[in-house]
Amino acid sequence: MERREEQQPGAGAASALDFTVENVEKALHQLYYDPNIENKNLAQKWLMQAQVSPQAWHFSWQLLQPDKVPEIQYFGASALHIKISRYWSDIPSDQYESLKAQLFTQITRFASGSKIVLTRLCVALASLALSMMPDTWPCAVADMVRLFQAEDSPVDGQGRCLALLELLTVLPEEFQTSRLPQYRKGLVRASLAVECGAVFPLLEQLLQQPSSPGCVRQKVLKCFSSWVQLEVPLQDCEALMQAAFAALQDSELFDSSVEAIVNAISQPDAQRYVNTLLKLIPLVLGLQEQLRQAVQNGDMETSHGICRIAVALGENHSRALLDQVEHWQSFLALVNMIMFCTGIPGHYPVNETTSSLTLTFWYTLQDDILSFEAEKQAVYQQVYRPVYFQLVDVLLHKAQFPSDEEYGFWSSDEKEQFRIYRVDISDTLMYVYEMLGSELLSNLYDKLGRLLTSSEEPYSWQHTEALLYGFQSIAETIDVNYSDVVPGLIGLIPRISISNVQLADTVMFTIGALSEWLADHPVMINSVLPLVLHALGNPELSVSSVSTLKKICRECKYDLPPYAANIVAVSQDVLMKQIHKTSQCMWLMQALGFLLSALQVEEILKNLHSLISPYIQQLEKLAEEIPNPSNKLAIVHILGLLSNLFTTLDVSHHEDEHEGPELRRLPVPQGPNPVVVVLQQVFQLIQKVLSKWLNDAQVVEAVCAIFEKSVKTLLDDFAPMVPQLCEMLGRMYSTVPQASALDLTRQLVHIFAHEPAHFPPIEVLFLLVTSVTLTLFQQGPRDHPDIVDSFMQLLAQALKRKPDLFLCERLDVKAIFQCAVLALKFPEAPTVKASCGFFTELLPRCGEVEPVGKVVQEDGRVLLAAVLEAIGGQASRSLMDCFADILFALNKHCFSLLSMWIKEALQPPGFPSARLSPEQKDTFSQQILRERVNKRRVKEMVKEFTLLCRGLHGTDYTADY
């Protein structure tokens, strides 16, 4: 035993005798210096056990001896903190005073020693103070101040002062992270609020006396910053805040001063102290010269810090300050200072990082202005509308791209940050529209018009792009159909000289944003469509051009027949040339689906023939080849193109039905649906492809996607395909079960199972996939959580749409029930959720479907046991609502059975958790049985019960639950 310890003290689960000073030191040496990562991990695990062991009280003090190295002393101090903060109840009350005295002694000793050890000891004493306040140690903070100011200490005055400041700094921080019960937290907070009377005068004195060295003043500011987060009344902070503002002139103290001021201003309670806030405005405005100097000298840190202060005051207190109408000019001056920060020179994020801090302020100010009653709002609108027009100019200037040369030097990370920054600007412009209304669009249009028609000086593409970006930001989310400037804008777009990818992208996105307007003004389509079709041929404009064409085809499809041939020809050309990436090819097919939907059936078939034929020929060739990775990619790509085309190709105009019958602008065509015609033509080819790729989930998924998307789009029109698709799905699933086949079966059940003509093939398919899946369960379903998930969803859908499927004699309802209970125990949350969904559909059918009622009566106990086991701790807490749904359904539909089963199930000791008393189990069963109406109440009961089962009731872990 002794020898093993010497070799490797960190190994294994140590007994109590192992936790000696020597072994702790060896384990620490192993943790810091052993090159073997496994040994390090073992040592760390062992040390964590040592820290919480009863022996920690003994070895911690020894590890703090002066002859030990700081790493060892630090571990000793940390162990003390853990014991005090987490195991306070283990400490006898008659030892509080000696523990306190020992900690004071150690802190005094380390005042001139290692700073990291000093901090840990201060945190330990802070934790002790919080546990003893306010009863056992009522004047803790005042005592700390008095003890450290004693002249008889062996440590020099500055060392004592820094140690005291460290202790006072960590005390509020420890309070914020402490695990004190809620009622104690309130008492301790109130006690600390009183105790700040012993802290602030000391801090003021140290900050204001000229003889205080920089390190002390730095520590004072950090201590003040820590205390203000305890929601100290802002008026009590006035003197310290003025001192902190003065300290902003000292570059060494700048960062700490900013942090302290921002924390003080930002505390939620601060808005109650309006007089203090008003006194702060001149102090903030007094920083403008320092801000200008910093901007001029490229000092980003100083400009950033001053901006943070101005924004903290404006953003947190705009409502309170706007209420002081007589002080409107000083607040307007603060707003203008923030405007300067928004428009700070340079490109974000390369030359400046400050402007982004200000954007939320403009939202807040606008919300506050618009929340006033009409009269006051009118006054402030008069003052602030010009400010917001100026803001638009500033934001569009900041959104401008740098020169091509400069942009070329930016890293990909900088470009991405700039993109996100422009999105934030776009969101702000959209928000500002609420304040400025249509005048904002007119303003942008006038600027763009002057820029494009001016012959005096050549305009920069960046300026044009920014103005268009402003338009696009608003048009994307605001209804601009009634704007009188959009026709002019559409007229201006073709005049733009597009010499640059960024500008071309924005032109595309702007056209896309105006697609709804174009649907109402079809005469203008011809002005912009050629630009979009031309851009399709440029791979650099792939995303913008394809998404814009898709929007136009979706919104304007009834006005596009005259352009259809051209759109199809250009699209075919770019698809054949493989200009676009896969996802854009899919979007392009969706665009063509929208376009073709509005044509006559014979036109659709003609276009489909020319569009699809090359792909069908390619697929025929691929179907002959021996499967390999490259031809698999090609097959999946072609199948993807077809399914995306069929997603939107809807000649019956189902998509328009939610908009009302008056908007269905074309008669529903008679005869076979073009999609069905095509599917029937390629059906055998698809089967041929499948025969070679049945083992490949990706290919099977791609085949199923074609039919699933077609079914969703065509609905009843898909009917002619049902028998052959059911047959194909049955063969597929029997050979190699795949989740995608079950999902497609679920779609067919959903749409066609209730129709007598289609019930026979669907019933055959349903019985077949159920039989195959039940066999899979016998072989071991754990490797197929996706199949089990889809199977449960299929069963639930069958019960919902066509419960008659469960009446068939060949359906083994008992086996289905047992498999679903098994699925409740899967580790995968989606599978468990789907299984719970099945049971919540099954239980209400107990009365109407005889086989279901029989199996619930026979095996309901097993289901209840599985549910209680899950609630007892076997399943994730996030799933408790799903299990509560099963309990609620049992109670509502099988009450007499449940009342008998639940008492039996909870009878055995330790089930469903060893932490439960018989009384708690009894209370839970009574609560559940009483609640047959309110599902929400049952969910709350289950949440409470699962916390009891897991030993988490009343702990911090329940806070977000």
Side-chain angles (χ1 to χ4, degrees), residues 68 97 152 177 354 430 497 656 682 760 782 834-835 859 957:
K68 307 292 183 191
E97 288 304 318
D152 57 353
T177 57
T354 299
M430 181 191 81
S497 168
D656 302 330
V682 298
R782 277 299 305 111
S835 311
D859 293 346
Y957 293 101

Side-chain angles (χ1 to χ4, degrees), residues 510-550:
T510 306
I511 294 169
L514 295 171
S515 57
E516 284 186 40
W517 183 91
L518 287 168
D520 288 340
H521 305 83
V523 71
M524 303 299 283
I525 291 172
N526 201 30
S527 302
V528 289
L529 188 59
L531 289 174
V532 179
L533 294 178
H534 179 69
L536 275 183
N538 185 344
E540 289 183 296
L541 304 179
S542 183
V543 173
S544 60
S545 62
V546 174
S547 67
T548 296
L549 182 66
K550 184 181 163 185

Side-chain angles (χ1 to χ4, degrees), residues 361-599:
F361 163 74
W362 299 107
Y363 285 74
T364 309
L365 177 62
Q366 179 176 309
D367 283 347
D368 289 336
I369 290 169
L370 297 179
S371 70
F372 285 122
E373 72 282 0
E375 197 177 331
K376 199 171 183 181
Q377 190 186 131
V379 172
Y380 274 130
Q381 284 258 24
Q382 209 172 346
V383 174
Y384 283 100
R385 273 178 73 83
V387 173
Y388 272 86
F389 273 116
Q390 186 192 345
L391 173 67
V392 171
D393 289 345
V394 167
L395 289 176
L396 291 177
H397 182 72
K398 293 298 293 179
Q400 284 188 26
F401 279 89
S403 68
D404 294 339
E405 189 182 356
E406 195 182 332
Y407 193 62
F409 285 113
W410 284 19
S411 68
S412 58
D413 188 45
E414 286 166 341
K415 287 176 180 176
E416 177 58 12
Q417 283 184 57
F418 182 57
R419 186 192 67 76
I420 294 166
Y421 174 67
R422 277 170 52 99
V423 170
D424 291 341
I425 286 177
S426 171
D427 291 344
T428 312
L429 290 169
M430 181 191 81
Y431 207 76
V432 167
Y433 183 84
E434 192 184 346
M435 178 95 149
L436 302 180
S438 57
E439 203 181 327
L440 171 54
L441 290 176
S442 305
N443 184 289
L444 292 174
Y445 173 66
D446 290 346
K447 287 193 170 91
L448 187 63
R450 281 200 300 276
L451 194 67
L452 295 176
T453 55
S454 167
S455 54
E456 289 171 26
E457 52 184 279
Y459 58 86
S460 73
W461 70 262
Q462 287 92 340
H463 197 171
T464 309
E465 191 278 335
L467 286 168
L468 272 179
Y469 185 68
F471 247 114
Q472 177 208 323
S473 304
I474 295 159
E476 263 177 346
T477 43
I478 309 284
D479 183 4
V480 294
N481 279 9
Y482 305 104
S483 167
D484 54 1
V485 302
V486 176
L489 174 66
I490 295 279
L492 282 176
I493 285 175
R495 298 185 60 158
I496 297 171
S497 168
I498 300 177
S499 54
N500 174 283
V501 171
Q502 285 91 359
L503 175 58
D505 258 337
T506 303
V507 168
M508 285 301 114
F509 285 127
T510 306
I511 294 169
L514 295 171
S515 57
E516 284 186 40
W517 183 91
L518 287 168
D520 288 340
H521 305 83
V523 71
M524 303 299 283
I525 291 172
N526 201 30
S527 302
V528 289
L529 188 59
L531 289 174
V532 179
L533 294 178
H534 179 69
L536 275 183
N538 185 344
E540 289 183 296
L541 304 179
S542 183
V543 173
S544 60
S545 62
V546 174
S547 67
T548 296
L549 182 66
K550 184 181 163 185
K551 281 181 180 176
I552 290 173
C553 288
R554 185 180 65 218
E555 300 301 334
C556 311
K557 62 184 172 191
Y558 297 113
D559 301 295
L560 290 180
Y563 313 104
N566 196 15
I567 295 172
V568 172
V570 172
S571 301
Q572 251 182 302
D573 187 50
V574 298
L575 284 166
M576 284 296 123
K577 287 178 179 168
Q578 298 182 336
I579 283 171
H580 302 290
K581 290 183 179 166
T582 301
S583 53
Q584 275 72 55
C585 292
M586 301 306 157
W587 292 359
L588 191 49
M589 278 302 206
Q590 287 179 22
L592 294 171
F594 286 125
L595 174 75
L596 297 180
S597 301
L599 302 181

Side-chain angles (χ1 to χ4, degrees), residues 73-92:
Q73 293 171 332
Y74 179 82
F75 183 79
S78 290
L80 280 173
H81 172 239
I82 284 170
K83 295 300 286 181
I84 292 167
S85 62
R86 295 190 198 170
Y87 301 95
W88 177 252
S89 57
D90 295 351
I91 307 170

Side-chain angles (χ1 to χ4, degrees), residues 7-26:
Q7 285 175 337
Q8 197 173 350
S15 69
L17 293 172
D18 284 325
F19 298 131
T20 61
V21 175
E22 295 76 21
N23 280 344
V24 170
E25 288 193 42
K26 284 175 188 169

